[in-house]
Amino acid sequence: MSLKRQVIKGIRWSVFGSVFTTVVQFAQNLILAWILTPKEFGLMAMVLVYIGFFLPIFDLGLSAAIIQKKNITPLQLSTLYWINVLLGVCCFTLIWVTAPFANLFFSTEIDLATFIRIAGLIFLIAPWGTQFNAILAKSLQFDKQNIISIISIGLTFIVAIGLALNNFGVFSLIYSFVFNSVIQTLLNFYFGRAHHIPRFEFDLGEVKDLLNFGLFQTGTSIVNYLSANIDKIFIGKILGSSALGLYTVVWNLVLLPLRKINPIVTKIAFPVFSKIHDNKALVNLYYSNALTLLMLINFPILLFLMLNSYQFLELFYGEKWLGAASTFSILTIIGLLKTLAHPGGSLLLSKGRADIGFYWNCLWTFALYCSISLTLSYHSSIKSVALGQLLAGIIFGPLWHYIVMRYGKVGYLIIGIDMIKLLLFSFPAFGIVYLVNHLEIVNTASLLSVKIIIFSTAYVLFIFFFFKEKISNIIKIIK
């Protein structure tokens, strides 16, 4: 199968998988938000922040190294496989030993050690399937990867809701988290075993170049992890578990379309860019189309949520989450900035420049630390943390795109024009929300429904007039 056909097949499967998993995970979060409390969500967030620091270490960037290397031998794959397993055991041991000290980092009277140790079991489970997932990505087997996501998320939904309804509280989140890892590992092995079965052989000398690449990628992932969670660390340490629960739920709402829609492009982009990185014109074409497509999809979703955050939370999540409404609006703007930044990482990684990502993430983490510290010094609230993130994004975002343009060898003229066109839609969007809010509609569900219908109609017309040719080209490619 040609590269173009593989990409098209990958896009189709990724769209289907993303739609399914987005709906299921939204439904799961929605139902759990009515059953559980912000404090329980906050405790789970603390657990994930703590054990998440070890995730890049157990992978050691080897998944990315496998995808990036054009030719890799069975001996190298077997060696990397056993390295992953050994690293998983080491990470679990460290988590088990250090878990009692977790309360030093967070403001909570509840002992987190038991929660962390149970969640840490994933480090004994996931390494057995991680390499198989990387091999599927390298082989552009995106259909199998999406089948894995669909099955694991669907089963996890059933387990999480069942446990919550039976009064398991925060344990319903922890047990379902571990369960998801078990299912993904089993399915990764089932689908990946056709491409490679690890043998009992080990030669460290054979994988030195892969380890060098992986170490930079690991450093990048660790620093990236800190930058992605420094907001939660601040909130958990200063404001406590209930505030962290409020923040985590609305932030996950913003991230849901990004995590499900962006990978349609980014998961496919890295292996594809790795195959064509010597063809400048083709890379330019793929990158500009990928970024424009992400903007066309994510922009209306996040803009609508930003303008209707209070009513959305009131209708779908209930009154106990309304304290996060203004924070929710700010975070949607950050989500838009992240949409623009995501494909650049895949492009630089495909060129073997994991070092650039590492140095950038060091700078970005420092910028976030300074900006959030600054905003929190004026007022201690989750809204201040969100404003700190936004401040860093506005100041340092343009620098990231300059780096991608220079080292990724891509042009931004077409992308910039498309961005300006989309921003123009903000004006009628504000007008629509303002006018509908002044209609005599008391029921929140009815009011939000009217807004969705008018907003969607206006956006479709806007796309027809300003992006008709672009959409036609994308449809032709997919067909």
Side-chain angles (χ1 to χ4, degrees), residues 203-343:
D203 189 340
L204 202 58
E206 285 286 317
V207 295
K208 282 186 177 180
D209 60 329
L210 292 164
L211 289 173
N212 288 334
F213 177 89
L215 285 172
F216 251 120
Q217 179 62 18
T218 300
T220 301
S221 297
I222 291 174
V223 179
N224 188 41
Y225 176 78
L226 289 174
S227 67
N229 289 277
I230 196 169
D231 52 347
K232 300 181 186 69
I233 294 172
F234 269 111
I235 296 170
K237 181 66 177 176
I238 298 173
L239 302 175
S241 57
S242 293
L244 181 57
L246 285 169
Y247 182 89
T248 300
V249 166
V250 294
W251 186 219
N252 284 339
L253 264 175
V254 172
L255 291 178
L256 186 60
L258 270 66
R259 286 171 175 168
K260 298 304 175 184
I261 295 172
N262 286 25
I264 294 175
V265 173
T266 55
K267 282 175 67 176
I268 297 171
F270 178 36
V272 169
F273 285 149
S274 294
K275 291 179 181 292
I276 64 170
H277 63 80
D278 293 326
N279 190 329
K280 183 179 177 180
L282 199 56
V283 168
N284 237 313
L285 177 64
Y286 272 66
Y287 184 78
S288 61
N289 283 336
L291 196 51
T292 300
L293 180 61
L294 286 176
M295 290 191 297
L296 287 172
I297 298 172
N298 285 336
F299 181 80
I301 296 172
L302 294 173
L303 180 63
F304 183 84
L305 291 175
M306 180 186 72
L307 298 175
N308 301 281
S309 58
Y310 187 92
Q311 292 160 346
F312 183 89
L313 290 176
E314 181 184 23
L315 177 62
F316 290 103
Y317 284 76
E319 292 185 1
K320 62 183 176 182
W321 301 98
L322 292 180
S326 58
T327 302
F328 188 21
S329 293
I330 298 168
L331 291 174
T332 56
I333 303 174
I334 300 169
L336 289 171
L337 297 179
K338 284 184 175 292
T339 295
L340 297 175
H342 274 176

Side-chain angles (χ1 to χ4, degrees), residues 46-335:
M46 291 176 177
V47 171
L48 293 178
V49 167
Y50 192 84
I51 69 168
F53 178 78
F54 296 88
L55 287 172
I57 300 174
F58 107 83
D59 182 64
L60 206 62
L62 300 181
S63 294
I66 290 170
I67 296 172
Q68 196 273 337
K69 189 173 178 63
K70 285 191 175 182
N71 298 304
I72 189 166
T73 67
L75 174 58
Q76 289 174 321
L77 286 172
S78 294
T79 301
L80 295 177
Y81 187 84
W82 298 117
I83 289 175
N84 270 145
V85 172
L86 290 172
L87 286 172
V89 174
C90 292
C91 287
F92 175 76
T93 303
L94 284 172
I95 288 172
W96 184 274
V97 172
T98 61
F101 301 101
N103 283 73
L104 297 175
F105 296 95
F106 300 108
S107 177
T108 178
E109 71 284 358
I110 298 175
D111 185 12
L112 297 172
T114 301
F115 303 152
I116 290 171
R117 285 170 173 168
I118 295 173
L121 289 171
I122 66 166
F123 291 95
L124 298 179
I125 300 166
W128 299 93
T130 300
Q131 186 180 100
F132 294 111
N133 188 265
I135 292 173
L136 290 174
K138 184 180 181 68
S139 305
L140 304 182
Q141 299 290 306
F142 302 113
D143 53 342
K144 294 185 174 75
Q145 284 190 307
N146 280 281
I147 290 172
I148 292 170
S149 295
I150 289 168
I151 295 174
S152 61
I153 289 174
L155 293 176
T156 300
F157 169 84
I158 297 171
V159 170
I161 302 303
L163 291 172
L165 289 172
N166 283 280
N167 301 315
F168 275 77
V170 67
F171 283 103
S172 62
L173 300 173
I174 296 171
Y175 291 152
S176 61
F177 174 69
V178 176
F179 175 80
N180 181 265
S181 180
V182 172
I183 298 301
Q184 284 201 1
T185 299
L186 291 173
L187 292 173
N188 280 328
F189 173 78
Y190 177 78
F191 287 109
R193 74 191 195 285
H195 299 272
H196 171 73
I197 294 291
R199 299 193 293 258
F200 290 101
E201 53 187 9
F202 191 93
D203 189 340
L204 202 58
E206 285 286 317
V207 295
K208 282 186 177 180
D209 60 329
L210 292 164
L211 289 173
N212 288 334
F213 177 89
L215 285 172
F216 251 120
Q217 179 62 18
T218 300
T220 301
S221 297
I222 291 174
V223 179
N224 188 41
Y225 176 78
L226 289 174
S227 67
N229 289 277
I230 196 169
D231 52 347
K232 300 181 186 69
I233 294 172
F234 269 111
I235 296 170
K237 181 66 177 176
I238 298 173
L239 302 175
S241 57
S242 293
L244 181 57
L246 285 169
Y247 182 89
T248 300
V249 166
V250 294
W251 186 219
N252 284 339
L253 264 175
V254 172
L255 291 178
L256 186 60
L258 270 66
R259 286 171 175 168
K260 298 304 175 184
I261 295 172
N262 286 25
I264 294 175
V265 173
T266 55
K267 282 175 67 176
I268 297 171
F270 178 36
V272 169
F273 285 149
S274 294
K275 291 179 181 292
I276 64 170
H277 63 80
D278 293 326
N279 190 329
K280 183 179 177 180
L282 199 56
V283 168
N284 237 313
L285 177 64
Y286 272 66
Y287 184 78
S288 61
N289 283 336
L291 196 51
T292 300
L293 180 61
L294 286 176
M295 290 191 297
L296 287 172
I297 298 172
N298 285 336
F299 181 80
I301 296 172
L302 294 173
L303 180 63
F304 183 84
L305 291 175
M306 180 186 72
L307 298 175
N308 301 281
S309 58
Y310 187 92
Q311 292 160 346
F312 183 89
L313 290 176
E314 181 184 23
L315 177 62
F316 290 103
Y317 284 76
E319 292 185 1
K320 62 183 176 182
W321 301 98
L322 292 180
S326 58
T327 302
F328 188 21
S329 293
I330 298 168
L331 291 174
T332 56
I333 303 174
I334 300 169

Side-chain angles (χ1 to χ4, degrees), residues 270-466:
F270 178 36
V272 169
F273 285 149
S274 294
K275 291 179 181 292
I276 64 170
H277 63 80
D278 293 326
N279 190 329
K280 183 179 177 180
L282 199 56
V283 168
N284 237 313
L285 177 64
Y286 272 66
Y287 184 78
S288 61
N289 283 336
L291 196 51
T292 300
L293 180 61
L294 286 176
M295 290 191 297
L296 287 172
I297 298 172
N298 285 336
F299 181 80
I301 296 172
L302 294 173
L303 180 63
F304 183 84
L305 291 175
M306 180 186 72
L307 298 175
N308 301 281
S309 58
Y310 187 92
Q311 292 160 346
F312 183 89
L313 290 176
E314 181 184 23
L315 177 62
F316 290 103
Y317 284 76
E319 292 185 1
K320 62 183 176 182
W321 301 98
L322 292 180
S326 58
T327 302
F328 188 21
S329 293
I330 298 168
L331 291 174
T332 56
I333 303 174
I334 300 169
L336 289 171
L337 297 179
K338 284 184 175 292
T339 295
L340 297 175
H342 274 176
S346 297
L347 177 59
L348 294 176
L349 200 58
S350 71
K351 292 179 176 292
R353 296 307 303 267
D355 56 327
I356 295 177
F358 173 73
Y359 295 130
W360 164 258
N361 281 305
C362 287
L363 175 63
W364 177 240
T365 302
F366 179 73
L368 279 175
Y369 176 83
C370 293
S371 60
I372 293 176
S373 296
L374 177 65
T375 52
L376 277 175
S377 68
Y378 286 95
H379 186 248
S380 294
S381 67
I382 59 174
K383 183 178 179 179
S384 296
V385 174
L387 286 170
Q389 275 208 77
L390 180 59
L391 177 64
I394 292 172
I395 295 173
F396 288 89
L399 176 59
W400 167 250
H401 291 288
Y402 170 77
I403 291 171
V404 173
M405 184 171 62
R406 178 175 177 180
Y407 294 99
K409 308 296 183 184
V410 292
Y412 264 74
L413 179 60
I414 296 176
I415 296 170
I417 293 172
D418 288 340
M419 287 171 58
I420 293 172
K421 288 180 181 177
L422 277 173
L423 287 174
L424 291 175
F425 179 71
S426 301
F427 296 103
F430 276 104
I432 290 169
V433 172
Y434 177 81
L435 291 173
V436 175
N437 280 338
H438 283 75
L439 297 176
E440 295 182 1
I441 303 177
V442 179
N443 184 271
T444 303
S446 300
L447 182 63
L448 207 58
S449 297
V450 171
K451 286 184 179 180
I452 291 173
I453 293 171
I454 299 176
F455 187 94
S456 301
T457 304
Y459 187 71
V460 170
L461 291 173
F462 177 83
I463 292 298
F464 178 80
F465 285 110
F466 289 95

